[in-house]
Amino acid sequence: MPDAVSLLRVPELSDTAQYAYLATVAPGSRLVFTAGACPLDSTGGVVAPGDPVGQARQVMANLVTALAAADARLTDVVKTTVYVASSRQADLVSVWRVVRDAFGDHDPPSTLLGVTVLGYPDQLVEVEAVAAVPARP
């Protein structure tokens, strides 16, 4: 079966974005929707308080674990939304670098947002994703 996800470039739009502008999902694929991956350790504690980069690393590790539970990988991701509890653009950029690096050559469409607050005390980063994998028989 061909890949479930195809990433598309749009030549008429700027190529400075570090992600594809569009993604399509092959017919018959199964969609996987994640909750926002949070910077929590296995006991439910927030890791790296005050450190958006450290939290982004934990978030991406948790996202990989969550996707694996649905037989999906980062290369199956169709779209992400990245939330950073900061009004500093530098914080958003530093978190984005961690997220982007985790995806390697796979660069799905993404939205990066600076928000006022996230759900856990000391939480600065959250990433949600939609993935597509071949349908199970």
Side-chain angles (χ1 to χ4, degrees):
M1 176 174 190
D3 290 338
V5 177
S6 294
L7 302 178
L8 306 168
R9 305 292 183 265
V10 180
E12 296 81 12
L13 297 175
S14 170
D15 64 356
T16 60
Q18 296 178 344
Y19 47 80
Y21 277 100
L22 303 168
T24 62
V25 176
S29 298
R30 180 172 53 93
L31 291 177
V32 177
F33 297 85
T34 72
C38 298
L40 303 177
D41 62 21
S42 61
T43 66
V46 172
V47 302
D51 177 8
V53 169
Q55 288 195 9
R57 288 186 185 113
Q58 182 69 43
V59 162
M60 294 310 294
N62 290 349
L63 181 59
V64 167
T65 300
L67 288 168
D71 297 323
R73 302 175 313 224
L74 288 178
T75 54
D76 298 315
V77 170
V78 176
K79 182 182 185 323
T80 64
T81 305
V82 180
Y83 302 93
V84 183
S86 177
S87 61
R88 295 183 60 234
Q89 189 176 29
D91 290 339
L92 276 69
V93 170
S94 64
V95 166
W96 175 249
R97 286 186 184 126
V98 172
V99 172
R100 186 67 207 94
D101 288 349
F103 278 96
D105 291 336
H106 184 72
D107 57 352
S110 187
T111 300
L112 174 62
L113 301 165
V115 298
T116 304
V117 66
L118 291 167
Y120 293 98
D122 298 320
Q123 180 184 0
L124 300 173
V125 179
E126 188 164 331
V127 176
E128 63 183 18
V130 177
V133 294
R136 293 180 177 153

